[in-house]
Every structure is written in structure tokens, then in C-alpha cells.
Amino acid sequence: MKPPIVTGQCAQVLTLIRQHQPLLSFVLTADHAIPEAAARVHDLRCMGWNIITRIVPSVKFRGRIRRNAALYSLGVPEWPYPGFVTGKEGGGNVE
């Protein structure tokens, strides 16, 4: 199986995570003008990408302390198979 084709902001988010992981959510929104970064990460997960989110209690960004920030990185393998992240392999329900 091959990973799905990713376009638009999802492609931009995936590329940035690959290049800078772990990548702070504020970098996506403030430095790269992606206002709904968490939604794009969700979209990528729905495509089967193995994106790991780690919430840090506080982080310094642009000279200020920010609370509950997300750090995004790619797991190994990056794209295991459809349904890996959601637990719905092959589109069926897993119980």
C-alpha cells in the first residue's frame, strides 16, 4: 500500500512536522499562517498518518509562557496503513 497524496495545508503541515519535529503548534499558526493546525493534524491522522501529539504544560514562545501547548512529531512508521491511528483498519469497525 502507498500513502495517500496530501495537498494544500495538510501537505504543508506534514512537511513542516517532518522537517522540524517535534514541532510546536504555535509555530504552525504564528509563523506559517495555518490557523486551524489541529484540524489539519486531525485530517492527516484520518488519512492514516502516524502523528504523535505531546501536550506540554508550559512553553516559552516569543518571549511569553504559553500553557498546554501541543508538540507534533511523526511516529515510525510514518504511514503504517489505513485505519492504524483510528483503530478501523480496512474501514471496518473494531470492537
Side-chain angles (χ1 to χ4, degrees):
M1 286 197 217
K2 291 175 26 176
I5 295 172
V6 181
T7 60
Q9 282 188 342
C10 286
Q12 188 178 5
V13 168
L14 184 60
T15 299
L16 289 166
I17 291 172
R18 274 189 180 130
Q19 291 174 348
H20 305 286
Q21 59 185 319
L23 181 65
L24 188 61
S25 59
F26 295 120
V27 171
L28 291 170
T29 56
D31 295 346
H32 297 282
I34 300 171
E36 299 289 334
R40 300 301 72 81
V41 168
H42 173 77
D43 294 343
L44 289 165
R45 281 191 185 116
C46 288
M47 292 180 208
W49 294 97
N50 187 9
I51 298 178
I52 298 166
T53 302
R54 183 170 60 103
I55 303 299
V56 291
S58 65
V59 66
K60 192 171 187 176
F61 180 74
R62 293 190 176 173
R64 297 183 64 189
I65 299 296
R66 310 293 176 156
R67 304 277 179 223
N68 297 322
L71 282 172
Y72 299 117
S73 60
L74 281 166
V76 176
E78 289 183 0
W79 190 83
Y81 55 82
F84 173 80
V85 177
T86 62
K88 296 180 180 174
E89 180 179 359
N93 291 330
V94 175
E95 296 193 30

